Amino acid sequence: MSKELEKNYNPSEIEGRLYDKWLEKKYFHAEVDRSKKPFTIVMPPPNITGQLHMGHAFDNTLQDILIRFKRMQGYNALWVPGTDHASIATEVKVVEQLAKEGITKEELGREKFLERVWDWKREYGGRIVSQLKKIGSSTDWDRERFTMDEGCSKAVQEVFINLYNKGQIYRGNRIINWCPCCLTSISDAEVEYEDQAGHFWHLRYPLSDGSGYIEMATTRPETMLGDTAVAVNPNDERYKDYVGKTVVLPIVHREIPIIADDYVDMEFGTGVVKITPAHDPNDFEVGLRHNLPVINVLTEDAKIVDEYETYAGMDRYEARKAIVADLEKEGALVEIEDYSHNVGTCYRCHTTVEPRVSMQWFVKMEELAKPAIDAVKNGETKFVPEHFEKTYFHWLENIKDWCISRQLWWGHRIPAFYCDACGETVVTKENEPVCPKCGKSMRQDPDTLDTWFSSALWPFSTLGWPEKTEELDYFYPTSTLVTGYDIILFWVIRMMFSGIENMGKAPFDTILIHGLVRDSQGRKMSKSLGNGIDPLEVIEKYGADALRLTLVSGNAPGNDMRFYWEKVEANRNFANKIWNASRFILMNLDKADEKDVDITKLTDADKWIVSKVNTLVREVTDNMENNDLGVAVAKIYDFIWEEFCDWYIEMVKPRLYNDEDETKAAALWTLKTVLINSLKLLHPYMPFITEEIFCNLSDEESIMISSWPEYKEEWNFAKEEKAVETIKEAVRGIRNTRSGMNVPPSRKANVYVVTTDAEVADIFEEGKVFFTTLSYAAQVTIQADKTGIADDAVAVLIPKASIYIPFADLVDVEKEIERLKNEEKKLEGELKRVNGMLANEKFVSKAPAAKIAEEKEKLEKYTTMMEQVKERLAQLSK
């Protein structure tokens, strides 16, 4: 007795049960096995503050497709999961929590604050992990890591100390990006630029000798308090005599020099720029070249410092208004010009970033960047799509030193210690070192490392580095990195140079880039727009398989995708289609023993579908090997829906219901074989429904650990494929003709196939049965000419044959004439009414334009319909 599926496909009933089974059976787990080739993916670790959003769902679906595919191909497939401590985001969450209790982190103190953050992590940090399980992620949860676990922390410390000892990490006063909201430095990669409407304030500074003024413009007048020079280009003839003189800084009334520097663009504005080394990265470099003082005029939260009493404590924008007003009073404001410019904002909170001179820790990037560039140029690592190499190269070839220190408490604390007694600095793994010079106790640097510093080590720290583990030796380098184009700068680049620096090899051979999931209007999903869609809501309503198929179908690597609810519903319908087809097959399996069928004894229809699925296996495998996952699943979808369900199953039904049909076993073998192969191809995309059906259809334990289908030359039936495709083309032509004439399926019609080609005649002779079942034929006659075929027969033309159906078989002529005359009468009435309205001057002059346009459209429609009716009546009356 064959097994049976439930009548209706209910994803909520099967998904949790099957996922628990997979976990229990340890199907996701991988151990070192030298007899197998490894295939490794490291999951981009989501923040512990995160909740599953469409980006996570998309990213993890793509990874899961690849890992399931490779697991079935026989690879030792390891997908390493984990989460990121997310310094800024997590600290902000806990600070907000404390604020509700009326406490600040400073009042709590560092140690107590960190205890609260660990408590928060234990309570909420696993939420994203449980949500990732809902979409079917087959990642090795036994190997789950956290960027601040003991192993990762050890790796971070090792890398920092190694780079410091090599002179690659240094501490210095440099201009950095400062977020006045998060109150920490951020790296260049963490700055997002956006167009903002602003102004150019044109100012004039008086020459100290009273001989005149020099004019310039600025977008940030509040920073003029910190001006320490005015600069011109040394080749600018207009200002040659000015160089070496001084000007009086308005409002502040401090004398500052006029200097010459090649940085100044002679063609822009007046060719004069004010130099504020503390608040502009370019000015900072000019200041270094000319030994200018650095005057900081803003506090950490972007307020004017106490030294400027008039503006002290004012927010930068409030101060801007006051300073502009005072400049105008002093006669130093020439004009205000509207100006739109690119402004840097913090990627976390979107506050406008302040360039700020600060003592920070940096990684020297020039030497680290070179091998990362070479690894992609020499093909060790490839980008898919290839054009993302340009972004990668552009950033690395123009890279600046990486500011890695953050003024936060949550994160990896910098392993640097200072001796307040003698000024010695020590970088060490020790927790409480003693000064090697004077023997006094030392104070640890209060700053933590940029979150991306630890994430950069993810491909090897998660495998045990700095220990020389078996896992590291076997699974590194990893295989494919799947990630969005939005973090190439944040993460991909840093993993590349970190992997090469510490392991001697690039961390992956392929970087598969995907785009963003946008709403149906093409907008980025965001809280502010309120257009975010919760993947868990989609799963609850339609199932994880429908969501997964929606995310990957119709999408090419690197491209954004639009989310449509209609698409999810259509994919749920596809799941229902597979379910119902599988139920039909299971319900009929006991009608014959299909186990020992000789493949040579298959019918043409059987060989056709076997040959089609064989070709599908080859094409889908090639597509998936080339990371064309959307192309692959489109082919699987079309094959299952059209070729298998709509054509083959309908073709074989008469054989299953005929007790005397000797080919019943062949039909059942073919149905089962093709379905199993189709399910295997579909499994990486829709793991739950394929597992449930497979386990009811096969004696194997799980589709997950079954073997991936392979192309078989003995399943290549080109002749039979051609024969059945010819039959299909004829059937399709007959169906279209009947549909166009509104002929109901219940009305059978004789079919005449006229061909002089013996091979084609044989094909139709063998395939007569299909015309009966698929195109409602009463009888099929194959002949060499039109002898005996009525002149009014409707013709369907296909290569090397013409198909004729007597008109009288399709239509009851008298009834059709009666119907058409009634239609003609009805249309005459409608045309009379519309023409009457449009001929009425009163109506035309007073009616809204939209109403007139509507009536004109009706006139055109009814006129066309009337012409068609009259033409049809003329044909029938002949």
Side-chain angles (χ1 to χ4, degrees):
M1 187 71 181
S2 62
K3 298 176 186 177
E4 278 192 31
L5 293 171
E6 292 294 327
K7 185 177 181 182
N8 297 312
Y9 168 55
N10 182 2
S12 62
E13 188 276 321
I14 69 167
E15 290 178 355
R17 168 169 54 80
L18 291 178
Y19 199 85
D20 289 343
K21 167 194 163 183
W22 295 333
L23 286 174
E24 185 186 333
K25 297 280 189 180
K26 298 281 188 184
Y27 292 153
F28 306 161
H29 185 62
E31 288 288 346
V32 173
D33 182 351
R34 302 285 175 179
S35 69
K36 287 183 174 182
K37 189 176 178 182
F39 181 87
T40 317
I41 294 178
V42 288
M43 177 189 290
N47 292 348
I48 55 170
T49 57
Q51 291 196 61
L52 190 73
H53 56 62
M54 277 300 173
H56 293 130
F58 187 24
D59 191 62
N60 281 272
T61 293
L62 293 174
Q63 291 171 79
D64 196 42
I65 289 167
L66 290 176
I67 213 79
R68 287 177 183 272
F69 167 53
K70 290 296 179 180
R71 191 183 287 123
M72 291 174 75
Q73 279 192 315
Y75 285 82
N76 193 8
L78 170 63
W79 183 12
V80 182
T83 50
D84 194 290
H85 65 278
S87 295
I88 298 177
T90 308
E91 185 150 323
V92 166
K93 287 276 186 190
V94 179
V95 166
E96 286 173 354
Q97 195 178 61
L98 291 172
K100 290 174 184 174
E101 300 170 26
I103 312 169
T104 67
K105 72 173 189 178
E106 289 76 17
E107 288 168 344
L108 199 59
R110 186 168 194 141
E111 295 310 312
K112 292 285 185 186
F113 176 76
L114 290 176
E115 285 176 18
R116 286 292 296 263
V117 184
W118 279 107
D119 287 343
W120 189 94
K121 189 262 177 189
R122 279 186 282 272
E123 188 172 350
Y124 299 107
R127 180 174 50 189
I128 187 81
V129 168
S130 62
Q131 291 171 339
L132 285 171
K133 292 176 179 178
K134 290 280 188 186
I135 63 168
S137 300
S138 64
T139 186
D140 190 347
W141 296 112
D142 295 340
R143 295 184 181 274
E144 184 184 345
R145 300 300 300 271
F146 175 52
T147 50
M148 277 180 63
D149 66 26
E150 187 180 346
C152 289
S153 297
K154 187 177 179 182
V156 166
Q157 197 174 65
E158 187 84 11
V159 169
F160 186 96
I161 292 169
N162 289 348
L163 289 175
Y164 178 80
N165 291 336
K166 288 172 71 174
Q168 290 291 108
I169 283 182
Y170 65 93
R171 187 172 184 245
N173 251 319
R174 295 285 183 275
I175 195 148
I176 48 95
N177 306 298
W178 182 267
C179 176
C181 178
C182 298
L183 296 180
T184 183
S185 59
I186 59 175
S187 70
D188 291 345
E190 293 167 309
V191 178
E192 291 181 348
Y193 288 90
E194 59 182 47
D195 270 332
Q196 289 184 8
H199 300 92
F200 255 141
W201 283 270
H202 292 261
L203 310 177
R204 62 179 189 173
Y205 290 4
L207 293 162
S208 302
D209 60 11
S211 61
Y213 297 88
I214 193 163
E215 287 190 14
M216 71 221 71
T218 180
T219 58
R220 303 174 67 220
E222 67 278 9
T223 64
M224 58 86 62
L225 300 175
D227 287 1
T228 55
V230 167
V232 296
N233 191 292
N235 300 314
D236 197 331
E237 293 293 333
R238 294 172 294 176
Y239 301 112
K240 276 203 167 175
D241 295 338
Y242 286 75
V243 177
K245 291 186 176 184
T246 60
V247 295
V248 177
L249 187 61
I251 300 175
V252 182
H253 306 127
R254 179 173 68 236
E255 273 194 45
I256 57 175
I258 299 172
I259 61 172
D261 195 281
D262 289 327
Y263 155 67
V264 183
D265 182 356
M266 292 187 290
E267 306 300 320
F268 188 75
T270 61
V272 182
V273 293
K274 63 189 219 48
I275 301 297
T276 321
H279 296 286
D280 184 276
N282 295 311
D283 292 6
F284 180 78
E285 296 301 326
V286 173
L288 289 177
R289 288 194 289 273
H290 296 270
N291 200 26
L292 297 173
V294 177
I295 301 174
N296 183 27
V297 302
L298 292 172
T299 61
E300 290 184 351
D301 56 352
K303 290 176 180 167
I304 303 296
V305 296
D306 292 342
E307 284 79 356
Y308 300 92
E309 291 182 9
T310 309
Y311 315 108
M314 284 187 183
D315 169 80
R316 54 185 163 169
Y317 300 117
E318 182 189 355
R320 179 179 292 178
K321 291 176 186 175
I323 288 167
V324 168
D326 288 347
L327 285 168
E328 189 171 19
K329 283 179 195 170
E330 202 169 293
L333 181 65
V334 179
E335 67 167 313
I336 302 172
E337 176 190 350
D338 288 340
Y339 181 67
S340 181
H341 59 138
N342 242 356
V343 176
T345 62
C346 172
Y347 83 110
R348 286 292 316 166
C349 65
H350 307 295
T351 302
T352 297
V353 166
E354 279 294 336
R356 177 182 174 84
V357 173
S358 177
M359 182 64 78
Q360 302 286 345
W361 288 89
F362 297 86
V363 178
K364 288 182 183 176
M365 284 310 309
E366 191 176 348
E367 290 307 310
L368 289 173
K370 286 175 185 174
I373 293 168
D374 293 341
V376 174
K377 285 193 171 175
N378 67 24
E380 184 182 351
T381 300
K382 67 173 182 178
F383 275 86
V384 178
E386 193 177 337
H387 66 79
F388 282 105
E389 287 181 1
K390 292 178 184 173
T391 305
Y392 177 84
F393 290 139
H394 175 76
W395 189 259
L396 281 173
E397 286 164 357
N398 298 280
I399 202 159
K400 294 176 184 173
D401 288 355
W402 175 17
C403 176
I404 54 170
S405 46
R406 297 290 178 270
Q407 289 61 54
L408 301 164
W409 288 353
W410 173 245
H412 296 99
R413 195 163 176 182
I414 290 173
F417 296 81
Y418 311 112
C419 179
D420 293 329
C422 70
E424 179 69 359
T425 298
V426 173
V427 170
T428 176
K429 293 178 184 177
E430 293 179 43
N431 290 327
E432 296 179 357
V434 172
C435 179
K437 280 195 174 179
C438 69
K440 299 281 178 65
S441 60
M442 304 187 83
R443 170 179 55 85
Q444 188 172 1
D445 193 304
D447 289 353
T448 53
L449 286 164
D450 179 3
T451 297
W452 298 102
F453 191 93
S454 53
S455 302
L457 319 183
W458 194 244
F460 53 93
S461 65
T462 53
L463 295 172
W465 190 93
E467 305 302 324
K468 292 182 177 178
T469 64
E470 260 205 286
E471 284 86 354
L472 189 64
D473 179 61
Y474 178 69
F475 288 113
Y476 188 94
T478 69
S479 306
T480 301
L481 172 73
V482 180
T483 191
Y485 60 64
D486 53 334
I487 57 171
I488 291 175
L489 312 183
F490 289 113
W491 194 42
V492 177
I493 281 171
R494 289 163 178 169
M495 281 192 291
M496 284 292 286
F497 68 68
S498 298
I500 295 168
E501 169 67 18
N502 294 286
M503 294 295 298
K505 293 177 184 175
F508 9 74
D509 57 48
T510 303
I511 300 169
L512 176 59
I513 300 292
H514 61 75
L516 305 177
V517 182
R518 298 183 178 274
D519 70 7
S520 58
Q521 297 175 46
R523 300 174 302 175
K524 190 174 178 179
M525 292 185 183
S526 68
K527 287 180 182 176
S528 58
L529 288 174
N531 63 342
I533 294 165
D534 182 356
L536 298 178
E537 181 189 337
V538 182
I539 290 169
E540 190 178 331
K541 193 171 182 181
Y542 294 106
D545 286 337
L547 172 62
R548 289 168 63 111
L549 186 57
T550 300
L551 291 170
V552 76
S553 60
N555 190 261
N559 289 351
D560 291 347
M561 67 149 294
R562 293 190 181 192
F563 182 89
Y564 297 95
W565 280 102
E566 297 84 353
K567 197 173 170 186
V568 187
E569 196 168 336
N571 289 328
R572 190 271 318 272
N573 293 343
F574 175 61
N576 288 339
K577 183 97 170 174
I578 300 166
W579 186 265
N580 292 334
S582 303
R583 279 190 80 241
F584 168 78
I585 293 167
L586 283 163
M587 288 163 63
N588 284 282
L589 275 180
D590 57 1
K591 290 189 173 178
D593 183 3
E594 90 292 345
K595 288 184 175 62
D596 299 312
V597 171
D598 182 349
I599 196 167
T600 61
K601 297 293 195 311
L602 300 183
T603 68
D604 281 5
D606 300 336
K607 289 179 180 178
W608 162 74
I609 198 69
V610 166
S611 192
K612 292 289 278 188
V613 82
N614 196 36
T615 302
L616 181 71
V617 165
R618 184 182 60 201
E619 290 183 359
V620 165
T621 304
D622 287 346
N623 291 144
M624 293 184 75
E625 295 284 13
N626 291 318
N627 297 297
D628 288 325
L629 306 183
V631 173
V633 79
K635 289 177 180 176
I636 301 166
Y637 183 105
D638 290 344
F639 173 82
I640 292 173
W641 191 294
E642 294 176 21
E643 308 289 19
F644 188 58
C645 293
D646 286 357
W647 284 100
Y648 182 70
I649 288 178
E650 294 305 315
M651 285 176 176
V652 298
K653 277 181 179 177
R655 291 159 63 188
L656 299 181
Y657 297 144
N658 183 352
D659 291 338
E660 296 177 9
D661 197 313
E662 295 177 359
T663 67
K664 192 180 292 184
L668 290 169
W669 178 89
T670 305
L671 283 166
K672 184 175 178 180
T673 301
V674 173
L675 178 57
I676 284 175
N677 278 280
S678 301
L679 291 172
K680 287 183 176 185
L681 295 177
L682 186 61
H683 174 71
Y685 298 90
M686 302 180 81
F688 293 108
I689 190 170
T690 51
E691 172 79 331
E692 183 72 0
I693 296 168
F694 181 86
C695 291
N696 278 278
L697 192 65
S698 168
D699 295 330
E700 291 185 66
E701 189 179 310
S702 169
I703 196 169
M704 263 193 68
I705 54 172
S706 68
S707 57
W708 184 256
E710 292 182 358
Y711 180 82
K712 299 177 182 179
E713 191 55 48
E714 63 269 28
W715 282 13
N716 179 17
F717 299 111
K719 181 186 170 190
E720 289 81 355
E721 254 200 80
K722 181 184 174 186
V724 175
E725 290 299 331
T726 301
I727 296 285
K728 278 175 62 187
E729 192 171 2
V731 167
R732 199 179 288 117
I734 294 168
R735 283 176 173 177
N736 290 341
T737 298
R738 290 176 65 103
S739 174
M741 296 175 68
N742 297 314
V743 181
S746 57
R747 190 174 182 94
K748 307 297 180 185
N750 290 313
V751 171
Y752 296 88
V753 179
V754 176
T755 181
T756 55
D757 187 300
E759 185 183 353
V760 173
D762 288 344
I763 289 170
F764 281 103
E765 193 64 50
E766 289 287 329
K768 278 183 177 181
V769 64
F770 300 131
F771 288 92
T772 309
T773 56
L774 301 176
S775 58
Y776 320 110
Q779 187 177 336
V780 181
T781 306
I782 293 103
Q783 55 192 63
D785 54 36
K786 285 184 67 178
T787 303
I789 300 172
D791 291 340
D792 64 352
V794 178
V796 174
L797 305 179
I798 64 168
K800 297 184 180 179
S802 299
I803 295 159
Y804 296 94
I805 309 167
F807 186 78
D809 286 6
L810 295 171
V811 177
D812 185 320
V813 176
E814 288 184 11
K815 281 188 177 179
E816 182 66 1
I817 288 173
E818 184 182 351
R819 186 189 71 79
L820 287 168
K821 283 188 173 177
N822 288 334
E823 184 71 14
E824 182 182 36
K825 190 175 180 182
K826 182 181 169 186
L827 285 168
E828 281 172 354
E830 290 294 339
L831 283 166
K832 185 178 179 182
R833 183 192 64 78
V834 175
N835 279 316
M837 286 180 75
L838 293 174
N840 185 331
E841 287 183 19
K842 198 172 180 182
F843 168 76
V844 174
S845 63
K846 291 187 177 180
K851 177 64 178 170
I852 295 169
E854 184 187 328
E855 292 302 324
K856 284 182 177 178
E857 279 180 26
K858 287 179 182 177
L859 176 61
E860 187 178 341
K861 182 177 79 172
Y862 295 147
T863 302
T864 303
M865 288 171 70
M866 180 63 90
E867 287 170 358
Q868 290 170 345
V869 166
K870 286 185 178 296
E871 184 182 347
R872 194 90 176 101
L873 278 169
Q875 289 171 349
L876 293 173
S877 301
K878 283 181 181 177

